[in-house]
Amino acid sequence: MSGSSPNSAENPWPVRTVNTKIADWIHRLGQIWVEGQVTQISRRPGTRTAFLTLRDPAADISISVTCSPDLLARTEVPLHDGSHVVVLGRPSFYTGRGTVSLRISDIRPVGIGELLLRIERLRQLLAAEGLFDPRLKRPLPFLPHTIGLISGRASAAQRDVVSVATERWSAVRFDIREAPVQGPTAVSRILAHLAELDAHPEVEVIIIARGGGSVEDLLPFSDEALLRAVARCTTPVVSAIGHEPDNPLLDLVADLRAATPTDAAKRVVPDVEAELAGIDELRRRSAQALRNWVRRESAVVESLRRRPVLARPELIVDAEERRVSELRRALRRDVLRHVDAEERRHEHLAARLSTLGPAQTLARGYAVVQRTDTETTRVVGNLDDLPVGAQLRIRVADGAAHATVTAREEPASTPTDPRGEP
């Protein structure tokens, strides 16, 4: 900002100057369109100005709005707390109080079609980011230690969840957080309770419950800030908003969508009677299966016991003994047969040997002549070995005699037979 005189510690501006300069800057914005939720409508009879507050549904931020009472009366749809509107106005700064307000000249309620269109655009955006991916869904615990419940104060949805869950499991515990479930303050309160329950170490599942309503009533449960907060939760979240036809976007982001608050209680808390009955049934089936197995195995054992091999085990020994005896007899026969054959072969060879031996030759009239006057006694094989005077030993069939060579006789020229006889 610049003024007629420089601003410094020695020359400060008075408050009126500061407010005037701020007002000048704000007035330069001109007319603007603003979207928000209406809260705190004040129409005082006899006044020319109506007051209301316009709140941002995605953040805890609001601005004061002023308008003519006639403008509120001329709206197509009667306005009430929580109405979603678009207004045309000019920002104003009141120098006396140092406050900003929006003086509006047109106000248009956002219709159902427009709301549904915006919800659809948000759905497509979050789907593209993967917030609806089934792989991100956290499983619910079988029997949660403590259940966090966010619902309206003393609402039917709260009563349904608590009563149904308690009937199913009497020891179930709840950490109940009450919050507005429609209107401009619903999202901020629900967000605060959701963060507290998610940080609670004993809370293992969170149920957000409401008993149905119109599209406008369920707008907080399609709010982008709430949807992203649920996606960031580490604790499983169950959406139990409305009845079967109601489908806020929270149903798509939550880890489990329940058709009604009663259905949420049934999905989160197991029925103790049903679980005990299931345990009894499993025990009965297990005992029956065990008995059947014992009977089946007993029948197998009895069948084995009735077999001859177990009824009279000595039969195997007797059979093997007979088999061994038979093998021994067969072996003995084979050995004797082999011995007999070898004996016959020996006798045959002995007979041949006897026939071809020197004793038989001597018995046929032959003699073996050995020279004894040499260093070693050797058999005479030819006439050269018989010089005159040689000492000889002549062996015949029945003995031997000693002789001396007195003369030699040359062989005749006539051929002789193979035995040396003429």
Side-chain angles (χ1 to χ4, degrees), residues 138-148 173 175 197-198 200-207 234-238 255 268:
R138 294 163 289 249
L140 269 61
F142 170 70
L143 183 59
H145 182 271
T146 301
I147 301 173
R173 294 173 53 189
D175 188 342
L197 293 175
D198 188 39
H200 199 298
E202 295 186 356
V203 174
E204 298 181 26
V205 62
I206 301 171
I207 300 176
T234 58
T235 306
V237 177
V238 178
D255 299 291
V268 172

Side-chain angles (χ1 to χ4, degrees), residues 321-359:
E321 184 179 8
R322 289 192 297 271
R323 181 169 174 270
V324 170
S325 299
E326 180 64 27
L327 291 175
R328 291 178 62 185
R329 286 193 295 270
L331 179 61
R332 185 178 293 109
R333 286 194 303 270
D334 292 342
V335 170
L336 292 176
R337 185 168 53 252
H338 182 71
V339 171
D340 292 342
E342 291 300 318
E343 287 181 350
R344 289 192 297 273
R345 179 171 174 272
H346 177 266
E347 292 175 355
H348 177 69
L349 292 176
R352 292 179 61 188
L353 180 62
S354 177
T355 302
L356 299 176

